[in-house]
Amino acid sequence: MKNSCKKLFILTVLVLSSLFLLAGCGSEDAKPAPGSSASSSSGDGNTLAKIREKGVLVVGSSNDAPFAYMDTKTNKFSGVDSEIIEEIAKRLNIPKVEMKQVPFENLLVELDNGSIDMVTDAMYIKPERLQKASFTNIWYTEGEAVVIKKDSPIKSKADLKDKVIGGQKGVTFLELANKWKDAGEVKDVKVFNSQAELMMAVNTGKIDACITDGIVAGYTLKQNASLDLQILSPYTPEASGKIGAAIRFGDKDLLDAVNGELEKMRSDGTLKTILEKYGLPENYMVLSADEAKTQNVK
């Protein structure tokens, strides 16, 4: 009797051990490695075909004009990045480009999660971002501007020393503002969630100045005459960067196709026409294919 119970106990332990082992293997397979985007992209080389079949390319943006935003008057996806990606989509036989609004600091997270196909929101191609996603060839370059009130006593960067400035969360220029604070070049830095909040804070006197995209600043002040603001001049940008669109690592077929059409647009003058439409100065334009390669970014 004792031997029978012992054998039954051993058999039960072996069966349970096998079940736990199988369960463990199953859960490991179900979890993609960090940064692998396995949950959001099959990486089977058919991403572009699937997008064409669906008929919609979904892009992520924080809804910042004039880059990639929903125009409240027309309810259309608009902006310089919008026109570039819509032209690329048309050439790739994708009927529609749809924008999903995502806070800027979460754009690459949403890309990895698979809720968007690309990030198109004037995103700087930076080494740390290249660890999280692939980037297209460069669309254009850009630098920052300092925005102040029209009657501000600030006449140069040196006058910021005892002033409170603002920056937008998740944006490169906030890093520059904090660098100035650490160096004692500004008194303090306040963080805001959007460009609209940032500019309004300067306009209402909550902060003395803000640091933001030069293109955004120029566009905003041109569109909204009620803002009692101006761009600090003279001022030499310190954080100019190179703009491209982010695509998941596994979607190389989409990356290659987008780059292929982008270079055709650069060659036939379409890209330059779009950039000129939005008032980008020529020194912001990247018109040479060799200069546009992402791997040249340091």
Side-chain angles (χ1 to χ4, degrees):
M1 181 68 177
K2 289 182 178 178
N3 287 337
S4 297
C5 290
K6 186 176 181 180
K7 288 179 180 178
L8 180 61
F9 174 75
I10 292 172
L11 180 61
T12 302
V13 170
L14 288 173
V15 170
L16 288 174
S17 298
S18 298
L19 289 173
F20 283 127
L21 182 60
L22 288 171
C25 291
S27 62
E28 186 66 28
D29 289 342
K31 294 180 180 178
S36 67
S37 299
S39 62
S40 56
S41 172
S42 64
D44 57 8
N46 294 323
T47 305
L48 178 58
K50 290 174 183 176
I51 292 171
R52 281 173 171 156
E53 183 179 355
K54 185 172 62 174
V56 180
L57 176 69
V58 182
V59 301
S61 169
S62 59
N63 201 34
D64 279 334
F67 301 114
Y69 66 102
M70 294 303 297
D71 190 317
T72 55
K73 295 178 181 178
T74 64
N75 201 33
K76 290 183 179 180
F77 185 35
S78 306
V80 58
D81 285 32
S82 163
E83 291 208 22
I84 293 171
I85 194 56
E86 286 187 326
E87 177 64 24
I88 290 172
K90 182 174 72 173
R91 294 180 181 216
L92 290 175
N93 298 315
I94 302 171
K96 182 180 179 181
V97 176
E98 181 180 293
M99 189 197 94
K100 179 177 179 180
Q101 185 171 344
V102 178
F104 192 90
E105 67 271 20
N106 293 337
L107 282 168
L108 293 181
V109 175
E110 289 296 314
L111 178 67
D112 191 61
N113 288 342
S115 64
I116 55 178
D117 300 312
M118 298 174 61
V119 172
T120 57
D121 191 15
M123 183 170 278
Y124 276 27
I125 306 170
K126 301 167 64 179
E128 58 267 33
R129 289 175 179 159
L130 287 168
Q131 300 301 312
K132 299 177 181 179
S134 296
F135 275 78
T136 62
N137 292 345
I138 299 162
W139 290 13
Y140 53 90
T141 64
E142 186 200 16
E144 83 280 2
V146 174
V147 178
I148 56 175
K149 293 204 69 169
K150 287 181 179 177
D151 61 354
S152 173
I154 300 169
K155 304 300 179 185
S156 69
K157 182 191 169 186
D159 296 329
L160 294 173
K161 188 172 180 62
D162 61 345
K163 301 295 189 292
V164 177
I165 68 171
Q168 184 184 348
K169 186 177 181 180
V171 175
T172 298
F173 306 129
L174 178 58
E175 299 173 16
L176 180 59
N178 285 322
K179 181 181 176 182
W180 290 352
K181 179 183 176 181
D182 293 342
E185 296 177 312
V186 299
K187 180 179 179 181
D188 198 9
V189 176
K190 301 295 183 183
V191 182
F192 297 85
N193 291 320
S194 70
Q195 291 282 354
E197 290 180 18
L198 188 62
M199 302 288 267
M200 190 55 65
V202 182
N203 199 60
T204 57
K206 289 184 178 179
I207 54 178
D208 300 300
C210 73
I211 183 169
T212 185
D213 307 74
I215 296 172
V216 169
Y219 177 85
T220 302
L221 298 184
K222 183 178 179 181
Q223 294 295 313
N224 193 344
S226 67
L227 291 173
D228 188 32
L229 303 175
Q230 64 180 348
I231 294 174
L232 178 64
S233 181
Y235 172 78
T236 302
E238 298 177 17
S240 59
K242 299 172 181 180
I243 306 298
I247 296 176
R248 282 182 294 274
F249 287 126
D251 296 343
K252 190 175 184 302
D253 63 320
L254 178 61
L255 176 67
D256 291 344
V258 168
N259 274 338
E261 297 308 321
L262 177 66
E263 292 316 309
K264 291 176 185 176
M265 291 167 59
R266 204 184 312 271
S267 178
D268 65 25
T270 304
L271 181 61
K272 183 179 182 181
T273 298
I274 293 172
L275 299 179
E276 287 177 336
K277 176 181 176 180
Y278 286 87
L280 271 71
E282 192 157 328
N283 63 325
Y284 279 17
M285 300 182 190
V286 181
L287 304 178
S288 164
D290 290 337
E291 294 175 4
K293 299 298 182 183
T294 296
Q295 57 262 35
N296 291 336
V297 177
K298 302 297 184 183

